[in-house]
Amino acid sequence: MLHFPTRRSAHAPRLVLTISLLLLAAGAPAYAQEKPRAGGELVYVVGSESPSYDAHREETFGLIHPAAPHYSTLLRVDPTDTSGTKVIGDLAESWTTSKDGLTYTFKIRRGVKFHDGSTLGARDVKATYDKIITPPAGVTSPRKGQYAVVEALEAPDAETVVFRLKHPSAGFLSGLASPWNWIYKADILAKDPHWYEKNIMGTGPFTFVEHVKGSHWVGKKFADYWDRAGPTSTATGRSSSRTPPRASRPCAASGR
């Protein structure tokens, strides 16, 4: 389970001490070789609250830290790549680029489920990027300029998304790997493009339970998460973030 308390508590000194010990132990071979185990709790500090829940419009770690586990992206940066530059698929199972560099075709993973039980498809990816690149009136998208190179976006079938560019762009794939580009449900966006500002529902490894501002953020493991090889396939328990007073906001994390 995910649990992110957002106020100072008696646990804070213990959390800071725990992360310090973990960092010291990181260099030890036994720690590096330790296998993931089921159960436990992750606790860490988040130093702010977000104005809304919509990552397409926000720019604060106060949203992305606690809420990202509820969502998936089309691409992502490989977490094992120390350079932080290698792009891998998340919801994209594979992709190809045309010889002229103007067409990117993505194949979407089959069987991915939203937390409401519905199946994700190419139309959800398209609707998400339509909202980011060409937001409807009244919808904020501060990063839309990063995708000005996109001339057209298509979903020719349920498993294919095609981006057609105005000119070749060496950084286009990196742009699609933005951690802010959470994939939303097309049907919800069609009814209300502002829905995700006040609600959370994605395809990530944890489902949303509740968020009480100034207190906590709670989620739980999603049993139907597509990545069975991922860490949440064996993880149970909860993770927690706290927002202490400004004078004591160093980030901390503990696993137990």
Side-chain angles (χ1 to χ4, degrees), residues 58-70:
E58 302 301 342
E59 301 178 276
T60 170
F61 67 86
L63 174 65
I64 202 165
H65 281 189
H70 303 305

Side-chain angles (χ1 to χ4, degrees), residues 14-69:
R14 175 181 59 80
L15 299 181
V16 175
L17 175 61
T18 302
I19 190 60
S20 300
L21 293 175
L22 290 176
L23 290 172
L24 288 173
Y31 180 80
Q33 296 173 9
E34 184 177 331
K35 294 181 179 180
R37 58 186 175 84
E41 181 178 61
L42 173 67
V43 182
Y44 62 95
V45 171
V46 174
S48 71
E49 296 275 5
S50 177
S52 85
Y53 294 149
D54 186 358
H56 299 173
R57 61 170 286 162
E58 302 301 342
E59 301 178 276
T60 170
F61 67 86
L63 174 65
I64 202 165
H65 281 189

Side-chain angles (χ1 to χ4, degrees), residues 217-234:
W217 187 300
V218 181
K220 65 180 180 179
K221 175 186 171 183
F222 181 38
D224 291 329
Y225 182 52
W226 65 267
D227 188 1
R228 298 298 180 182
T232 60
S233 63
T234 57

